[in-house]
Amino acid sequence: KEYVDQAHDRGIQVWGCLQDVYGSSYSAGQILTTYETRAYVIRQLLEAADQSGMDGINIDIETIEQSTAPQYLQFLRELSVAAHEKGLVVSTDTYVPVYTKYYDRKEQARTVDYIVLMGYDEHMVGSAEAGSVASLPFVEEGIQSALEEVPAEQLINGIPFYTRGWTTVYGEGRPQSEAMGMNAADSWADAHGISLHWDSDAGQNVGSSDSETERYSIWMEDEKSIEEKMKLIDRYDLAGVACWRLGFERSTIWDIIGKYINN
């Protein structure tokens, strides 16, 4: 409540986030398969919203499988009805459509107020090759695909404040990577003697260096790459931007975001 009160004093809404993405040993999709458990979760969310005074609820459930997608959609319907009666905004976070067609974003858009498209993890832990977390073509293609199901006024472009530093050991299989914020990424590149250059195709500053045994590579998220992603919001007339996550960015990033959001 203290956080919410401070935000409200600055004219900022707060949407509380329900997540299942931090090493859960269960599938949230399985938990939501019965009416009783869905109703129990919804009651808790509404109680938390009432106690804190927050303005909305954001659902970031990422363990939905095709078999449990219908129950997840029903959860969103039931939550939205209950939340809207309390004047709360409901939003969901979703992968780019190429990964999860069965999420049925068209149906979600009929129910919730906003859909946040997570335009990142193009390359992630376990990827077969080093690459960008969110190259500009990947982000734009995700937006274009999502707009086939979701009206632009409901679609929020989710962008990363983090990048991955990649280490590829010669003669071995998959590369290893480390996720890091912007300042840490600069330090990582400097430590490995990486000279960066602008890649207009990727929409990022990129670079690599080699030692006798390893190659180090990075695709930066920085002021310039963030601005290229913000331009997409203007181009497609989207509802806004979401960022993952606070603390990974530099303060100068907010000036860039403000150019496109506060106009």
Side-chain angles (χ1 to χ4, degrees):
K1 188 176 187 309
E2 181 181 0
Y3 178 92
V4 174
D5 290 343
Q6 290 178 9
H8 286 173
D9 287 344
R10 292 162 174 77
I12 299 171
Q13 290 190 15
V14 177
W15 300 352
C17 185
L18 176 67
Q19 294 182 320
D20 71 337
V21 295
Y22 287 114
S24 301
S25 59
Y26 58 84
S27 166
Q30 295 295 329
I31 289 176
L32 299 176
T33 54
T34 70
Y35 171 77
E36 289 77 14
T37 53
R38 293 195 302 270
Y40 181 63
V41 171
I42 290 168
R43 282 198 302 272
Q44 291 184 81
L45 290 173
L46 296 183
E47 287 172 5
D50 182 60
Q51 292 168 5
S52 66
M54 63 190 181
D55 310 278
I57 298 169
N58 172 259
I59 303 299
D60 184 19
I61 294 179
E62 300 180 22
T63 58
I64 302 300
E65 300 173 349
Q66 190 160 359
S67 61
T68 57
Q71 289 82 9
Y72 174 64
L73 291 170
Q74 184 61 21
F75 167 69
L76 294 180
R77 295 185 192 102
E78 293 165 358
L79 171 63
S80 294
V81 169
H84 288 159
E85 288 179 351
K86 301 287 188 180
L88 297 169
V89 176
V90 178
S91 61
T92 61
D93 301 342
T94 184
Y95 300 107
V96 294
V98 67
Y99 293 153
T100 51
K101 289 285 188 183
Y102 61 83
Y103 267 57
D104 197 347
R105 292 156 188 82
K106 186 175 182 179
E107 181 61 27
Q108 287 190 39
R110 294 192 182 102
T111 301
V112 304
D113 300 291
Y114 297 100
I115 293 178
V116 179
L117 183 68
M118 297 184 292
Y120 38 82
D121 280 346
E122 179 182 3
H123 294 84
M124 63 187 83
V125 172
S127 288
E129 59 183 18
S132 174
V133 165
S135 68
L136 199 61
F138 176 83
V139 176
E140 185 165 19
E141 288 168 13
I143 291 171
Q144 292 171 342
S145 181
L147 286 174
E148 296 175 5
E149 301 178 278
V150 181
E153 62 268 19
Q154 286 181 264
L155 189 64
I156 295 173
N157 185 28
I159 63 175
F161 282 163
Y162 69 96
T163 189
R164 287 190 174 275
W166 296 88
T167 302
T168 304
V169 178
Y170 301 138
E172 294 190 3
R174 296 177 184 272
Q176 300 297 311
S177 69
E178 175 187 354
M180 60 194 85
M182 294 179 180
N183 288 335
D186 283 346
S187 297
W188 191 90
D190 288 343
H192 292 293
I194 295 175
S195 178
L196 298 170
H197 66 275
W198 179 252
D199 184 331
S200 58
D201 291 331
Q204 293 174 299
N205 282 305
V206 306
S208 63
S209 66
D210 296 281
S211 71
E212 292 183 359
T213 58
E214 298 170 324
R215 165 163 287 190
Y216 307 101
S217 308
I218 197 164
W219 285 254
M220 285 289 191
E221 292 298 346
D222 55 19
E223 288 79 1
K224 197 168 182 180
S225 72
I226 294 299
E227 180 144 28
E228 292 302 306
K229 292 176 176 64
M230 293 302 301
K231 290 176 182 177
L232 296 177
I233 295 174
D234 263 6
R235 184 177 307 161
Y236 292 96
D237 199 23
L238 303 183
V241 64
C243 312
W244 183 260
R245 67 174 170 81
L246 291 177
F248 282 168
E249 83 283 9
R250 285 189 283 268
S251 60
T252 49
I253 295 298
W254 296 110
D255 294 330
I256 293 167
I257 289 175
K259 285 169 52 178
Y260 295 87
I261 296 300
N262 301 322
N263 56 18

